[in-house]
């Protein structure tokens, strides 16, 4: 497949990447999503909007974030060199602010007074609460009760920033249920509210909107890596739940002779309900208003999922990831909890960088590939920092002494 015109051709005008994507909506929401799409297509070509977003990224977010060479960690593994795109240094500590500030600017353009969202690990909730404070908007965040307990520091940050955090107690009380609750809110309040979806998922145009705002990660990383080394990396990787950080990273390398690999959460193992590796183990299905690859139970409904990383425990993945998987351009490999926890501690101990548990999956995949490759270079999108995970990790895994073996 030729990727030289990829961004112009995908998604198509109906929001499809091949057979994946689209907008499966209740009739009353069709005009609302049409309004969002038309507004986005207007402002994404506006020099005023683009220049304002660039100013925000530079002066408020602290972009560009750097690329960093993990010299000590690489040496511990062998001769293959691991590099990190440091999205943990983006304001609020993760990549999520990249699309939240864009969505906040879109909400202001549309005259909306309120923004709502779901969150799993809390990073999207914190980023959207930050955007709401910046733009003077009301903000409501839906979050599963299980994730509220695991991610208490982020819950506090959201509240300090002025957001209302609504606990979700249905089902497994995690990310899927938070999305369900946010959609119900939007259905009742779409006239003055915009639902700022937290990943490259959902009905069209949100997979495109989030991708476009997150592409800054890959564009920066490609230029920085070339400047640092004089060549392209052999492998590019990022963690994949819904897939916003990964699609932002991968997009810039699609037309390059580079292997691209997404790290999915294997959790406790291959048994349904013990993992959230939807691309690896799922099949085609419609969920939350879009067609993609999803994990299903025996009735064909979204299956229960699990990951040590709250931001990855979602039973589907973005439609663009499903498409890139089907056409063979991007590979997806599953990483277990134990591998991710090991990477969490090793990166902390040997580089002084504490990664988010989500990002630890990508670091673990890079370490696995580095051992297999022997030589070469791997570029990892370190999508977020691990402050939010410290209490949970130390309570369940100690301080890492049992994870130092290579």
């Amino acid at each position: 497949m030729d990727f030289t015109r990829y961004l112009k051709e995908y998604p198509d005008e109906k929001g499809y990447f091949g057979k994946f994507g689209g907008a499966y909506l209740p009739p009353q929401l069709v005009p609302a999503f049409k309004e969002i799409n038309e507004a986005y297509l207007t402002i994404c070509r506006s020099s005023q909007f683009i220049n304002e977003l660039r100013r925000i990224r530079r002066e408020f977010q602290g972009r560009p974030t750097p690329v960093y060479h993990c010299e000590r960690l690489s040496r511990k593994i062998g001769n293959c060199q691991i590099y990190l795109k440091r999205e943990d240094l983006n304001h609020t500590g993760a990549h999520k602010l990249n699309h939240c500030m864009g969505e906040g600017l879109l909400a202001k353009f549309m005259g909306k007074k309120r923004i709502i969202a779901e969150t799993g690990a809390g990073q999207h909730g914190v980023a959207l609460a930050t955007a709401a404070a910046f733009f003077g908007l009301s903000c409501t965040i839906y979050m599963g009760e299980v994730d509220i307990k695991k991610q208490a520091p982020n819950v506090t940050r959201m509240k300090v920033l002025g957001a209302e955090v609504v606990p979700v107690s249905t089902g497994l009380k995690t990310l899927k249920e938070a999305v369900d609750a946010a959609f119900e809110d939007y259905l009742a309040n779409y006239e003055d509210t915009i639902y700022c979806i937290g990943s490259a998922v959902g009905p069209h145009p949100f997979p495109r909107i989030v991708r476009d705002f997150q592409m800054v990660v890959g564009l920066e990383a490609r230029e920085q890596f070339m400047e640092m080394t004089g060549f392209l990396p052999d492998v590019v990787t990022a963690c994949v739940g819904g897939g916003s950080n990964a699609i932002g990273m991968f997009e810039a390398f699609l037309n390059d002779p580079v292997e691209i690999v997404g790290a999915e959460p294997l959790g406790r193992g291959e048994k349904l309900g013990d993992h959230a590796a939807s691309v690896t183990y799922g099949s085609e299905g419609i969920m939350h208003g879009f067609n993609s690859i999803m994990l299903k139970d025996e009735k064909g409904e979204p299956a229960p999922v699990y990951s040590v990383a709250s931001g990855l425990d979602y039973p589907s993945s973005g439609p663009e990831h499903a498409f890139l998987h089907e056409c063979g351009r991007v590979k997806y490999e599953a990483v277990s909890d134990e591998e991710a926890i090991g990477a969490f501690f090793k990166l902390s101990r040997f580089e002084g960088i504490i990664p988010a548990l989500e990002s630890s999956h990508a670091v673990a995949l890079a370490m696995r590939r580095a051992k297999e490759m022997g030589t070469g270079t791997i570029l990892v999108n370190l999508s977020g920092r691990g402050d939010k995970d410290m209490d949970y990790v130390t309570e369940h895994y100690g301080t890492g002494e049992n994870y130092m073996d290579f």
Side-chain angles (χ1 to χ4, degrees):
M1 180 175 173
D2 182 9
F3 285 90
T4 55
R5 290 183 53 81
Y6 178 79
L7 287 173
K8 292 185 177 294
E9 296 175 352
Y10 296 97
D12 65 19
E13 61 181 16
K14 293 184 178 180
Y16 282 95
F17 302 86
K19 64 183 177 181
F20 301 109
Y24 299 81
L25 296 164
Q28 58 267 51
L29 280 184
V30 171
F33 274 77
K34 182 180 179 182
E35 178 193 19
I36 293 170
N37 188 45
E38 290 177 351
Y40 177 71
L41 291 178
T42 298
I43 65 171
C44 76
R45 297 180 174 90
S46 161
S47 62
Q48 183 179 358
F49 176 86
I50 292 167
N51 288 331
E52 176 62 8
L53 186 58
R54 285 175 175 169
R55 184 190 69 81
I56 289 169
R57 284 174 171 167
R58 181 179 65 252
E59 298 177 8
F60 183 69
Q61 293 184 230
R63 301 205 69 89
T65 58
V67 166
Y68 170 76
H69 179 205
C70 295
E71 187 176 354
R72 291 191 68 222
L73 181 64
S74 301
R75 193 162 59 243
K76 282 283 183 179
I77 297 169
N79 293 319
C80 186
Q81 303 303 305
I82 296 174
Y83 292 78
L84 307 177
K85 175 58 171 168
R86 297 288 307 276
E87 287 301 287
D88 59 310
L89 297 179
N90 192 31
H91 180 44
T92 74
H95 70 288
K96 295 289 188 180
L97 197 63
N98 298 330
H99 66 256
C100 285
M101 295 307 290
E103 288 173 334
L105 201 54
L106 175 62
K108 290 289 284 187
F109 174 81
M110 296 175 66
K112 304 296 185 182
K113 305 298 182 186
R114 178 174 177 256
I115 51 179
I116 63 172
E118 83 297 332
T119 194
Q123 285 300 140
H124 177 62
V126 169
L128 197 66
T130 300
F134 183 92
F135 291 111
L137 300 167
S138 173
C139 182
T140 302
I141 303 295
Y142 290 89
M143 191 172 188
E145 288 184 345
V146 169
D147 294 333
I148 285 176
K149 291 178 182 178
K150 285 176 68 176
Q151 308 292 346
N154 273 346
V155 176
T156 301
R157 292 170 74 192
M158 285 182 261
K159 292 178 178 178
V160 168
L161 287 162
E164 177 190 11
V165 181
V166 179
V168 179
S169 58
T170 56
L172 295 177
K173 308 175 185 178
T174 56
L175 184 56
K176 175 192 172 293
E177 290 74 27
V179 175
D180 293 338
F183 262 111
E184 290 176 11
D185 184 328
Y186 189 52
L187 193 59
N189 300 289
Y190 60 85
E191 290 183 357
D192 68 347
T193 297
I194 186 170
Y195 178 16
C196 298
I197 294 175
S199 192
V201 298
H204 177 66
F206 279 101
R208 175 185 177 173
I209 290 173
V210 172
R211 176 196 73 182
D212 289 357
F213 287 143
Q214 288 295 344
M215 276 179 55
V216 64
V217 178
L219 293 171
E220 285 179 5
R222 187 182 186 280
E223 181 180 346
Q224 290 165 325
F225 192 90
M226 289 282 288
E227 184 178 344
M228 288 176 72
T229 68
F231 47 80
L232 290 166
D234 295 300
V235 178
V236 172
T237 187
C239 65
V240 180
S244 59
N245 92 93
I247 209 65
M249 184 67 160
F250 295 168
E251 210 75 25
F253 296 92
L254 288 178
N255 203 42
D256 291 325
V258 170
E259 184 179 7
I260 304 176
V261 189
E264 289 202 292
L266 184 59
R268 296 179 290 245
E270 296 182 3
K271 181 181 175 183
L272 192 66
D274 282 349
H275 65 83
S278 56
V279 177
T280 302
Y281 296 103
S283 58
E284 184 179 352
I286 296 170
M287 175 181 154
H288 291 149
F290 68 103
N291 184 45
S292 187
I293 298 177
M294 61 182 279
L295 295 166
K296 302 175 185 176
D297 62 19
E298 63 280 358
K299 297 180 181 179
E301 298 295 320
V305 291
Y306 160 79
S307 170
V308 71
S310 295
L312 301 181
D313 58 358
Y314 186 65
S316 186
S317 198
E320 192 165 4
H321 284 290
F323 175 70
L324 291 171
H325 166 72
E326 184 177 68
C327 72
R329 179 61 188 95
V330 179
K331 299 177 182 177
Y332 295 82
E333 297 181 9
V335 174
S336 70
D337 280 0
E338 281 297 301
E339 289 177 285
I341 293 295
F344 176 93
F345 284 120
K346 288 181 177 73
L347 188 64
S348 300
R349 195 68 60 91
F350 294 106
E351 296 293 344
I353 300 170
I354 302 174
L357 286 175
E358 292 75 18
S359 314
S360 299
H361 286 71
V363 175
L365 181 57
M367 292 169 61
R368 180 199 297 172
R369 282 301 189 97
K371 292 176 184 177
E372 295 170 355
M373 291 164 58
T375 61
T377 57
I378 302 173
L379 177 59
V380 181
N381 188 12
L382 194 75
S383 56
R385 64 176 177 241
D387 306 35
K388 64 185 180 58
D389 298 311
M390 292 302 299
D391 292 344
Y392 177 83
V393 169
T394 54
E395 179 182 348
H396 290 84
Y397 300 97
T399 53
E401 286 75 12
N402 296 331
Y403 290 89
M404 290 301 108
D405 291 338
F406 284 85

